[in-house]
Amino acid sequence: MTGLTGWAGFGVVTGASLLFIVVLQAITFAVGRRLGHYNVVDVIWGFGFVGIGWIALILGGGDITRRWILAVAVTVWGLRLTWHMLGKVRGKGEDPRYAKVLGENPSAERVIRKIFGTQGAAQWFVSLPLQVSAVTHATHGIWWIVLIAGVVLWAIGISFEAIGDAQMTSFKSDPSNKGKIMDRGLWAWTRHPNYFGDSAVWWGMWLIAASAWPGVLTVLSPVVMTYFLVFATGARLLEQSMSKRDGYPEYQQRTSYFFPLPPKTREGAGSQGHAP
């Protein structure tokens, strides 16, 4: 398993990654067109990164240890997310977010530009730490501390995502919770444990890449991912719809928005949900 390093190696890895993304997005667009809704794009969000991680592993000629660490890390994260999103979109109609963006009877050009092209570009940019790390030299000396810190942060992030999603799934499966606000477990510490976990995963993978120059230069990749999760398509949009539900304003008052913090006391704030 050998490949090029430096700029030549990056050109090979990023070129193959872009080709993979284009093909993946095109296939998913065709599936969405046939189904009549485009929320299927959410299913391939994580899977796209898995493909790029393995392209970087196979075609990169940089440090083999770091290539394997990142390939395994992104595969665990991406496949778990893909399976989770498949369960969320299966048998459901269009996501309200996409319906709002596309309007009625959108043209193919608008769908590609607003959804599939945007997601594909984001997948390429956010995955730059994987691509750059795959063509750089081995981690040496004290920089191993940075790499280990990245693995730890990744583990914290994947745990928050997986546990938060499992807790929400269990909560929704109980008929007695219908109409209530989920404020148990991790959801008592942050209103978006899955989004926080997602952000932590990518900051962790950036730290792994940053343990060897010039991986540190890809810092804008986790910044962009976090921006989307917090302000663009993630938590902010969800809050706009959830804030209209009974009990959610009180939940907002006592629970941290994004970063996990100990919950505030309820002080008689309604009966929606139950404290952990």
Side-chain angles (χ1 to χ4, degrees), residues 130-164:
L130 309 181
Q131 301 175 48
V132 171
S133 179
V135 297
T136 54
H137 61 75
T139 299
H140 296 293
I142 196 172
W143 290 99
W144 271 97
I145 296 175
V146 177
L147 189 150
I148 293 171
V151 172
V152 171
L153 185 56
W154 172 88
I156 292 171
I158 195 73
S159 298
F160 258 82
E161 273 197 271
I163 294 172

Side-chain angles (χ1 to χ4, degrees), residues 57-68:
L57 171 65
I58 295 169
L59 299 183
D63 180 50
I64 186 64
T65 300
R66 206 173 50 248
R67 278 153 59 198
W68 269 109

Side-chain angles (χ1 to χ4, degrees), residues 7 75 208 212 228 231 256:
W7 283 109
T75 298
I208 295 170
F228 274 102
F231 300 109
S256 174

Side-chain angles (χ1 to χ4, degrees), residues 160 183-193 196 251-265 276:
F160 258 82
D183 62 355
R184 308 172 184 177
L186 294 180
W187 299 84
W189 289 69
T190 165
R191 303 201 296 272
H192 304 284
F196 166 77
Y251 176 58
Q252 289 176 306
Q253 292 174 8
R254 65 178 182 268
T255 308
S256 174
Y257 174 62
F258 190 76
F259 195 85
L261 294 172
K264 299 177 182 178
T265 57

Side-chain angles (χ1 to χ4, degrees), residues 91-194:
K92 296 184 179 179
E94 188 62 278
D95 188 304
R97 295 173 301 165
Y98 300 142
K100 182 178 180 180
V101 168
L102 296 175
E104 295 185 6
N105 301 317
S107 65
E109 182 274 335
R110 182 175 178 82
V111 173
I112 292 171
R113 178 167 50 88
K114 290 288 188 177
I115 296 181
F116 293 91
T118 300
Q119 187 188 89
Q123 284 175 318
W124 175 81
F125 189 82
V126 171
S127 67
L128 280 175
L130 309 181
Q131 301 175 48
V132 171
S133 179
V135 297
T136 54
H137 61 75
T139 299
H140 296 293
I142 196 172
W143 290 99
W144 271 97
I145 296 175
V146 177
L147 189 150
I148 293 171
V151 172
V152 171
L153 185 56
W154 172 88
I156 292 171
I158 195 73
S159 298
F160 258 82
E161 273 197 271
I163 294 172
D165 285 339
Q167 289 174 340
M168 179 60 79
T169 299
S170 176
F171 180 84
K172 289 183 175 180
S173 67
D174 186 347
S176 66
N177 291 325
K178 186 175 182 180
K180 296 180 180 179
I181 299 299
M182 171 53 160
D183 62 355
R184 308 172 184 177
L186 294 180
W187 299 84
W189 289 69
T190 165
R191 303 201 296 272
H192 304 284
N194 47 352

Side-chain angles (χ1 to χ4, degrees), residues 6 21 66 74 79 102 108 111 121 179 184 217 220 232-233 244:
I21 290 171
R66 206 173 50 248
V74 77
L79 292 185
L102 296 175
V111 173
R184 308 172 184 177
L217 299 181
L220 287 181
T233 59
K244 302 173 184 178

